[in-house]
Amino acid sequence: MVTNTRAERVSVAFVKLTDTLVADYDVLDLLHTLVEESVGLLDVAAAGLLLADPSGELQVVASTSEESRLVEVLQLQAGAGPCVECYLTGKAVQVADIKSLTAWQGFREAALSQGFRSIHAVPMRVQGRTIGAMGLFGASARPLTKEDAAIGQALADVATISLMQERTLREAALVNEQLQRALNTRVLIEQAKGVIAHTAGVDMDEAFNRLRSHARANSQSLQVTAGKIVDRSLTL
């Protein structure tokens, strides 16, 4: 059934995220679903997600494009920017016109060079704990509407709850293990994307799409599929 109204599409997005509460799931797939659904529903061009590792260091774990991933990486390298500020304060940070920024010059230059003109960062938080931040990048200089901001935060909240649900909250060590596994898997996925891009002659975005589609079609985790790509036992 085709969903036409925005309300229907919002409902479908929440169902996709809450499905993880009642079944085993792939952490990285959950986080990529979050950024993809956010871009699909909101007035933004791209999204990127930062998560803190057990030591509190932020890492890029999901993005909808190589451009948004690059901006997030450069923001981390500079140690400052809307998403970093959002993580540190636990509060949303909105920049309606990136060109007008006087602070965060490293982020400003990186974002503008990739064609982004605005950003709205929402915290990944649960029970007073902030574990990361999602950056929603706009192609035009204008603020996110209150409705879009609320939906974006709600999507992030549901994904955070899924990630931190009770079965992994029973022991703090299990929570850290879950987050660390996601970060480690991300490194393997980046390697696999590079292999696919090189052997198939496609860009990095298409490489990830092929990797993810194969994993889903064969009921495999992204980690297992990426490992096969890297050790050359699978070619896409």
Side-chain angles (χ1 to χ4, degrees):
M1 180 181 67
V2 177
T3 54
N4 295 317
T5 70
R6 191 182 198 213
E8 289 175 324
R9 290 188 290 116
V10 169
S11 295
V12 169
F14 279 110
V15 168
K16 287 182 180 179
L17 292 173
T18 55
D19 273 349
T20 62
L21 292 168
V22 294
D24 290 334
Y25 67 99
D26 186 321
V27 175
L28 261 296
D29 199 29
L30 165 71
L31 300 178
H32 279 285
T33 296
L34 170 61
V35 293
E36 289 172 353
E37 291 298 325
S38 295
V39 171
L41 288 170
L42 310 178
D43 186 20
V44 295
L49 181 63
L50 305 178
L51 274 188
D53 63 19
S55 67
E57 294 294 321
L58 288 172
Q59 306 284 344
V60 180
V61 293
S63 62
T64 56
S65 70
E66 286 301 309
E67 289 80 10
S68 57
R69 180 178 182 276
L70 175 61
V71 175
E72 296 286 32
V73 168
L74 294 176
Q75 189 175 173
L76 291 181
Q77 290 176 344
C83 289
V84 174
E85 182 74 9
C86 177
Y87 168 70
L88 293 175
T89 64
K91 297 179 180 179
V93 175
Q94 179 158 266
V95 180
D97 184 359
I98 293 175
K99 283 186 177 181
S100 68
L101 276 176
T102 55
W104 305 328
Q105 287 302 302
F107 163 79
R108 177 183 182 278
E109 293 174 8
L112 293 175
S113 71
Q114 298 303 314
F116 300 125
R117 296 295 179 267
S118 61
I119 182 174
H120 186 95
V122 297
M124 299 280 289
R125 63 193 179 195
V126 63
Q127 296 180 343
R129 179 183 178 185
T130 303
I131 65 170
M134 177 170 64
L136 303 170
F137 297 90
S140 58
R142 59 183 176 184
L144 207 61
T145 66
K146 289 184 178 181
E147 181 182 16
D148 275 5
I151 292 174
Q153 185 64 70
L155 289 170
D157 289 344
V158 170
T160 305
I161 292 170
S162 297
L163 187 64
M164 305 280 287
Q165 59 183 303
E166 185 177 358
R167 70 186 183 189
T168 57
L169 278 172
R170 292 173 184 170
E171 297 290 342
L174 291 180
V175 176
N176 289 337
E177 180 184 348
Q178 185 83 303
L179 294 175
Q180 189 61 57
R181 188 184 306 121
L183 297 172
N184 292 340
T185 300
R186 183 66 193 180
V187 173
L188 186 63
I189 288 174
E190 289 302 315
Q191 293 174 340
K193 284 166 56 180
V195 172
I196 295 171
H198 176 72
T199 58
V202 298
D203 62 27
M204 296 293 276
D205 290 334
E206 174 60 22
F208 177 73
N209 288 336
R210 294 189 181 191
L211 172 65
R212 191 181 186 191
S213 295
H214 184 86
R216 287 184 165 183
N218 292 275
S219 300
Q220 293 179 342
S221 70
L222 288 170
Q223 181 179 19
V224 169
T225 304
K228 291 181 178 180
I229 295 293
V230 171
D231 66 19
R232 300 300 198 277
S233 62
L234 173 66
T235 301
L236 296 181

